[in-house]
């Protein structure tokens, strides 16, 4: 009987409790499980966003990188991001931890770009609007 490497049970899960358990144990598959949860259309933002914030606070660099990707996807899908997540993102923009030849601030920069493009400008803080905001759309002039 050959022993095959099996994927963890939370690698493609849609169960928030399993994602919580993986994040708590700081397991390697916690980040991909978080991404899967964000992209699953059946979970409301109130279930997903707290888990993204936990991932952004993780000690594991790969989990933080996946949480940043998840935050960008969340902003694209739901057209908003809360203030606490934006504060964590701002801190991640200064994170020089190296992961696979790239720094985590590169992942944060991509997430900020996604949020800047898909979240309405009036919901973004000034620091994000200045550097990462999407196309500016002027108001229509009244005649």
């Amino acid at each position: 009987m050959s022993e095959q490497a099996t994927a963890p049970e939370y690698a493609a899960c849609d169960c928030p409790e399993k994602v919580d358990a993986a994040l708590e144990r700081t397991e390697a598959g916690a980040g991909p499980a978080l991404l899967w949860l964000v992209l699953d259309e059946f979970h409301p933002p109130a279930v997903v966003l707290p888990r993204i914030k936990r991932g952004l606070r993780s000690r594991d660099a790969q989990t933080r990188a996946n949480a940043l990707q998840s935050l960008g996807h969340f902003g694209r899908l739901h057209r908003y991001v809360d203030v606490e997540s934006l504060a964590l993102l701002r801190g991640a923009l200064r994170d020089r931890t190296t992961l696979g030849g790239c720094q985590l601030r590169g992942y944060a920069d991509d997430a900020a770009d996604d949020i800047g493009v898909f979240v309405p400008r009036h919901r973004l803080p000034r620091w994000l609007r200045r550097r990462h905001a999407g196309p500016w759309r002027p108001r229509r002039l009244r005649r």
Side-chain angles (χ1 to χ4, degrees):
M1 184 167 151
S2 67
E3 190 173 318
Q4 295 180 350
T6 59
E9 64 183 59
Y10 50 81
C13 78
D14 58 354
C15 179
E17 292 77 22
K18 288 183 181 179
V19 174
D20 287 339
L23 285 169
E24 189 171 316
R25 292 188 301 259
T26 58
E27 294 185 12
L34 186 58
L35 276 165
W36 188 274
L37 188 68
V38 169
L39 296 174
D40 185 12
E41 61 191 44
F42 298 112
H43 294 292
V47 170
V48 176
L49 198 54
R51 286 156 179 89
I52 292 174
K53 291 187 257 189
R54 282 186 65 194
L56 290 171
R57 291 185 182 104
S58 175
R59 292 177 298 180
D60 181 47
Q62 184 63 56
T63 301
R64 289 196 315 270
N66 290 133
L68 288 164
Q69 291 171 327
S70 299
L71 187 62
H73 287 308
F74 184 87
R76 177 179 54 82
L77 294 170
H78 299 288
R79 305 275 194 258
Y80 86 94
V81 179
D82 70 347
V83 174
E84 185 180 359
S85 299
L86 289 172
L88 292 169
L89 173 64
R90 191 172 190 183
L93 286 166
R94 294 184 293 270
D95 191 347
R96 293 182 183 268
T97 304
T98 303
L99 179 68
C102 299
Q103 293 181 350
L104 279 180
R105 66 184 182 164
Y107 289 95
D109 195 55
D110 290 342
D113 285 342
D114 286 347
I115 290 168
V117 168
F118 292 104
V119 176
R121 286 179 65 86
H122 67 275
R123 292 185 181 170
L124 298 176
R126 181 176 286 183
W127 65 264
L128 198 138
R129 279 194 314 252
R130 284 185 179 165
R131 188 162 171 227
H132 299 280
W136 182 73
R137 295 179 187 101
R139 291 189 217 184
R140 291 182 176 220
L141 297 174
R142 292 185 184 192
R143 293 181 193 222

